[in-house]
PDB file of all heavy atoms in Angstrom:
ATOM      1  N   VAL A  49     243.546 117.689 275.713  1.00 97.00           N
ATOM      2  CA  VAL A  49     242.888 118.130 276.944  1.00 97.00           C
ATOM      3  C   VAL A  49     241.792 119.166 276.681  1.00 97.00           C
ATOM      4  O   VAL A  49     240.653 118.999 277.141  1.00 97.00           O
ATOM      5  CB  VAL A  49     243.931 118.678 277.945  1.00 97.00           C
ATOM      6  CG1 VAL A  49     243.247 119.248 279.178  1.00 97.00           C
ATOM      7  CG2 VAL A  49     244.914 117.599 278.334  1.00 97.00           C
ATOM      8  N   ILE A  50     242.115 120.222 275.961  1.00 97.00           N
ATOM      9  CA  ILE A  50     241.144 121.299 275.752  1.00 97.00           C
ATOM     10  C   ILE A  50     239.909 120.811 274.995  1.00 97.00           C
ATOM     11  O   ILE A  50     238.781 120.998 275.469  1.00 97.00           O
ATOM     12  CB  ILE A  50     241.795 122.519 275.079  1.00 97.00           C
ATOM     13  CG1 ILE A  50     242.825 123.151 276.026  1.00 97.00           C
ATOM     14  CG2 ILE A  50     240.754 123.543 274.661  1.00 97.00           C
ATOM     15  CD1 ILE A  50     243.702 124.204 275.386  1.00 97.00           C
ATOM     16  N   PRO A  51     240.082 120.154 273.828  1.00 97.00           N
ATOM     17  CA  PRO A  51     238.880 119.665 273.144  1.00 97.00           C
ATOM     18  C   PRO A  51     238.116 118.613 273.958  1.00 97.00           C
ATOM     19  O   PRO A  51     236.886 118.604 273.956  1.00 97.00           O
ATOM     20  CB  PRO A  51     239.418 119.055 271.838  1.00 97.00           C
ATOM     21  CG  PRO A  51     240.743 119.675 271.635  1.00 97.00           C
ATOM     22  CD  PRO A  51     241.286 119.952 273.003  1.00 97.00           C
ATOM     23  N   GLY A  52     238.843 117.758 274.663  1.00 97.00           N
ATOM     24  CA  GLY A  52     238.181 116.734 275.474  1.00 97.00           C
ATOM     25  C   GLY A  52     237.398 117.319 276.631  1.00 97.00           C
ATOM     26  O   GLY A  52     236.258 116.902 276.908  1.00 97.00           O
ATOM     27  N   ALA A  53     237.991 118.288 277.312  1.00 96.00           N
ATOM     28  CA  ALA A  53     237.290 118.931 278.432  1.00 96.00           C
ATOM     29  C   ALA A  53     236.064 119.680 277.936  1.00 96.00           C
ATOM     30  O   ALA A  53     235.003 119.653 278.582  1.00 96.00           O
ATOM     31  CB  ALA A  53     238.232 119.871 279.169  1.00 96.00           C
ATOM     32  N   ALA A  54     236.180 120.336 276.797  1.00 95.00           N
ATOM     33  CA  ALA A  54     235.032 121.059 276.243  1.00 95.00           C
ATOM     34  C   ALA A  54     233.921 120.085 275.851  1.00 95.00           C
ATOM     35  O   ALA A  54     232.738 120.351 276.104  1.00 95.00           O
ATOM     36  CB  ALA A  54     235.459 121.882 275.035  1.00 95.00           C
ATOM     37  N   ALA A  55     234.292 118.963 275.260  1.00 96.00           N
ATOM     38  CA  ALA A  55     233.285 117.955 274.891  1.00 96.00           C
ATOM     39  C   ALA A  55     232.600 117.394 276.132  1.00 96.00           C
ATOM     40  O   ALA A  55     231.378 117.174 276.126  1.00 96.00           O
ATOM     41  CB  ALA A  55     233.933 116.835 274.087  1.00 96.00           C
ATOM     42  N   ASP A  56     233.350 117.183 277.200  1.00 94.00           N
ATOM     43  CA  ASP A  56     232.756 116.697 278.451  1.00 94.00           C
ATOM     44  C   ASP A  56     231.780 117.714 279.035  1.00 94.00           C
ATOM     45  O   ASP A  56     230.714 117.337 279.536  1.00 94.00           O
ATOM     46  CB  ASP A  56     233.850 116.394 279.482  1.00 94.00           C
ATOM     47  CG  ASP A  56     234.661 115.160 279.131  1.00 94.00           C
ATOM     48  OD1 ASP A  56     234.226 114.389 278.245  1.00 94.00           O
ATOM     49  OD2 ASP A  56     235.738 114.982 279.735  1.00 94.00           O
ATOM     50  N   GLU A  57     232.154 118.995 278.988  1.00 90.00           N
ATOM     51  CA  GLU A  57     231.254 120.031 279.507  1.00 90.00           C
ATOM     52  C   GLU A  57     229.959 120.095 278.700  1.00 90.00           C
ATOM     53  O   GLU A  57     228.877 120.251 279.267  1.00 90.00           O
ATOM     54  CB  GLU A  57     231.944 121.394 279.503  1.00 90.00           C
ATOM     55  CG  GLU A  57     232.958 121.569 280.599  1.00 90.00           C
ATOM     56  CD  GLU A  57     232.343 121.510 281.985  1.00 90.00           C
ATOM     57  OE1 GLU A  57     231.273 122.126 282.213  1.00 90.00           O
ATOM     58  OE2 GLU A  57     232.933 120.835 282.843  1.00 90.00           O
ATOM     59  N   VAL A  58     230.072 119.990 277.388  1.00 93.00           N
ATOM     60  CA  VAL A  58     228.881 120.022 276.533  1.00 93.00           C
ATOM     61  C   VAL A  58     228.022 118.791 276.782  1.00 93.00           C
ATOM     62  O   VAL A  58     226.788 118.879 276.797  1.00 93.00           O
ATOM     63  CB  VAL A  58     229.274 120.161 275.045  1.00 93.00           C
ATOM     64  CG1 VAL A  58     228.088 119.910 274.131  1.00 93.00           C
ATOM     65  CG2 VAL A  58     229.853 121.546 274.795  1.00 93.00           C
ATOM     66  N   GLN A  68     231.136 125.968 272.518  1.00 95.00           N
ATOM     67  CA  GLN A  68     232.251 125.023 272.506  1.00 95.00           C
ATOM     68  C   GLN A  68     233.343 125.427 271.516  1.00 95.00           C
ATOM     69  O   GLN A  68     234.510 125.563 271.898  1.00 95.00           O
ATOM     70  CB  GLN A  68     231.754 123.620 272.198  1.00 95.00           C
ATOM     71  CG  GLN A  68     232.854 122.577 272.218  1.00 95.00           C
ATOM     72  CD  GLN A  68     232.348 121.174 271.940  1.00 95.00           C
ATOM     73  OE1 GLN A  68     231.176 120.973 271.654  1.00 95.00           O
ATOM     74  NE2 GLN A  68     233.234 120.210 272.041  1.00 95.00           N
ATOM     75  N   VAL A  72     236.991 126.820 272.696  1.00 97.00           N
ATOM     76  CA  VAL A  72     238.109 125.912 272.431  1.00 97.00           C
ATOM     77  C   VAL A  72     239.147 126.621 271.562  1.00 97.00           C
ATOM     78  O   VAL A  72     240.355 126.520 271.800  1.00 97.00           O
ATOM     79  CB  VAL A  72     237.607 124.601 271.774  1.00 97.00           C
ATOM     80  CG1 VAL A  72     238.759 123.808 271.176  1.00 97.00           C
ATOM     81  CG2 VAL A  72     236.869 123.751 272.790  1.00 97.00           C
TER      82      VAL A  72
END
Side-chain angles (χ1 to χ4, degrees):
V49 175
I50 294 170
D56 289 346
E57 285 297 316
V58 168
Q68 182 179 4
V72 166

